[in-house]
Amino acid sequence: MAKQEISPSVIRRLPRYHRFLGELAEKGIVRISSKELSQQMGLTASQIRQDLNCFGGFGQQGYGYNVKALQTEIGQILGISLHRRAILIGLGNLGRAIANHVSFPQCGCELIGLFDSNPFVAGRDLDGMPIHHTDTLAGFCHQEKPELAVLCVPEQAAPMLAQQLVALGVRAFWNFSHGDLHFDDPSILVENVHLADSLLTLTYGLRQQDTHSESEG
Amino acid sequence: MAKQEISPSVIRRLPRYHRFLGELAEKGIVRISSKELSQQMGLTASQIRQDLNCFGGFGQQGYGYNVKALQTEIGQILGISLHRRAILIGLGNLGRAIANHVSFPQCGCELIGLFDSNPFVAGRDLDGMPIHHTDTLAGFCHQEKPELAVLCVPEQAAPMLAQQLVALGVRAFWNFSHGDLHFDDPSILVENVHLADSLLTLTYGLRQQDTHSESEG
C-alpha cells in the first residue's frame, strides 16, 4: 500500500466513509455493494471503488464490502486507535460546544486539558474536567506532551499562541479562530475551520434556485 | 455566463476566494496576480484562472485582479447581498456559539429568530435577541417566512423538525445535529456539517508523519 501517494481529496473523503460505515453497522447492516454505498453517500460507484482501491481495495467482486471490516480498516488508516493527546484553548461558547459536541475518542484523540486566559473561567470546570489558566500551558505541555491543540480563541490571540505551542511540542492545530493559521514548517499540520463557508454554499444554492424559477416563470 | 454548468467543487471554493479577497482588501491590497493569489491560498495559478474563468473571468493578462472588484463580483455570484431570512433552533452551547461566532450578514443571511424546546431556555434572550419556544414556530414562519434554518438540536429531533420546517416553507438547512439530513425533494438544500471530519484529517496527518519518521529512523 503506497499510502504516500494518496491524493488529499481522497483523504478528505475517508472520515465520511468511516462515519457512514459506522452508521450502517449500527443499523445491523453487514454487507453493502459499492452501488448501494454510492447511492446512499451521493457519490458514484466507480468513485467509491477508486477511493477504496487506493488502500488496497476491500471489496470482492459481486459480493460487496463487509461493513465492519471496511470501517475498521479505514479507522486504522486514519489512525483512530492511536489516542493523540489534545488540549483545547478558549472556553467560550464555541470552545464549550466543541468540547461537548465532538467525540474526540472517535477521532483518535483524547482531550487531556482545557485552558482559558480569563481568570474567571480558569479554575472552574467543564463537566468535571478542570479548566486551567493559559499561564500554566508550558508546565502542562512539558509534563503531558500534547500533540494537538484546538484553538477557540479570538483571531488576534491565535498566531502568538500557536507559535508558543509549537515551541512546546504541539504539531497539529484545529483552528476555529477566524483568521487562518500558516506555518512555514510543513511538518506543522493545520485545519483552519471556516463554518461560514458552508453557509455561503447554501446562500448560493438558494440564489441559483431563484434564478432558475425566474427564468422559468 | 452559464452558471448552471459550474462544478460543485468550484462553487465550494468560492466562499474561500471571497473570504481571502476580503482579507487582502482589509490590508489595503488593491491588485493581485493569479500567481500571488495562488501562493497565498495554496492553489495553483492555473486552478485559480480556471475557477474564475467559470464566471466570465475578471483578470487582465499581465495586470492581475482588482481585489475589491473581484470580491464584490464573487459576493454577487454567491448572493451575499440578498439577506436570506434565517432561524436558528437549539440554543445549547453549539447553537449559542454559532449565533455568536458566525457573521450571518457576511454570509448573505439575516438571523431573524431563535428557538428552543426547553421552557427554561425559551423566554430568555441571547445578546438581546429573544429565544422563542419551538411551539411557536408555525406562527412565526407564517408571518416571517424564513427560508433557511440552522439546526443545533439533538440528532433524534432533527428529521421531524426538518419535515415540519419544510411544510412551513423553509428551503435550506444548515444542519449541525449529528445525523445527516436527506430529502427526496432536490429543491430542499442541506449542508450537513461534520466538525469531526476535519479533526480526523489531522489525526491522519499525524499518523502519516509518524510512519515517515519511523521508516526514516
Side-chain angles (χ1 to χ4, degrees), chain A residues 140-212:
Chain A
F140 185 93
C141 291
H142 283 130
Q143 198 163 344
E144 303 292 341
K145 305 203 178 346
E147 291 181 280
L148 190 148
V150 188
L151 302 186
C152 301
V153 300
E155 182 171 355
Q156 317 84 278
M160 259 188 70
L161 177 62
Q163 289 297 347
Q164 184 196 356
L165 288 166
V166 167
L168 292 168
V170 172
R171 301 157 55 206
F173 292 91
W174 200 22
N175 177 34
F176 286 85
S177 76
H178 277 295
D180 279 8
L181 282 180
H182 296 286
F183 294 94
D184 292 333
D185 178 351
S187 75
I188 306 298
L189 307 175
V190 186
E191 280 287 314
N192 294 303
V193 181
H194 293 284
L195 296 174
D197 286 4
S198 78
L199 179 55
L200 268 172
T201 309
L202 282 179
T203 306
Y204 174 83
L206 284 170
R207 178 156 187 235
Q208 286 302 99
Q209 288 191 343
D210 289 350
T211 313
H212 282 233

Side-chain angles (χ1 to χ4, degrees), chain B residues 24-130:
Chain B
L24 293 174
E26 267 180 31
K27 286 180 198 158
I29 295 167
V30 177
R31 293 207 153 264
I32 190 160
S33 68
S34 51
K35 192 179 164 194
E36 285 170 295
L37 190 58
S38 68
Q39 282 166 347
Q40 292 190 34
M41 290 188 69
L43 296 167
T44 67
S46 80
Q47 173 89 82
I48 284 182
R49 282 192 297 265
Q50 266 179 39
D51 282 357
L52 300 179
N53 276 339
C54 288
F55 302 96
F58 308 107
Q60 288 169 262
Q61 190 77 41
Y63 198 60
Y65 296 103
N66 178 312
V67 170
K68 269 200 185 155
L70 182 55
Q71 201 214 7
T72 304
E73 195 80 23
I74 293 177
Q76 279 173 5
I77 291 162
L78 288 169
I80 279 175
S81 60
L82 296 174
H83 301 297
R84 303 288 173 182
R85 295 163 81 75
I87 56 177
L88 186 150
I89 303 156
L91 271 297
N93 279 316
L94 187 63
R96 285 167 191 270
I98 301 296
N100 285 324
H101 186 79
V102 174
S103 169
F104 282 82
Q106 282 184 26
C107 296
C109 297
E110 189 189 349
L111 196 53
I112 60 165
L114 303 175
F115 294 86
D116 202 285
S117 64
N118 183 336
F120 296 103
V121 176
R124 297 194 179 188
D125 72 84
L126 184 71
D127 296 332
M129 195 169 176

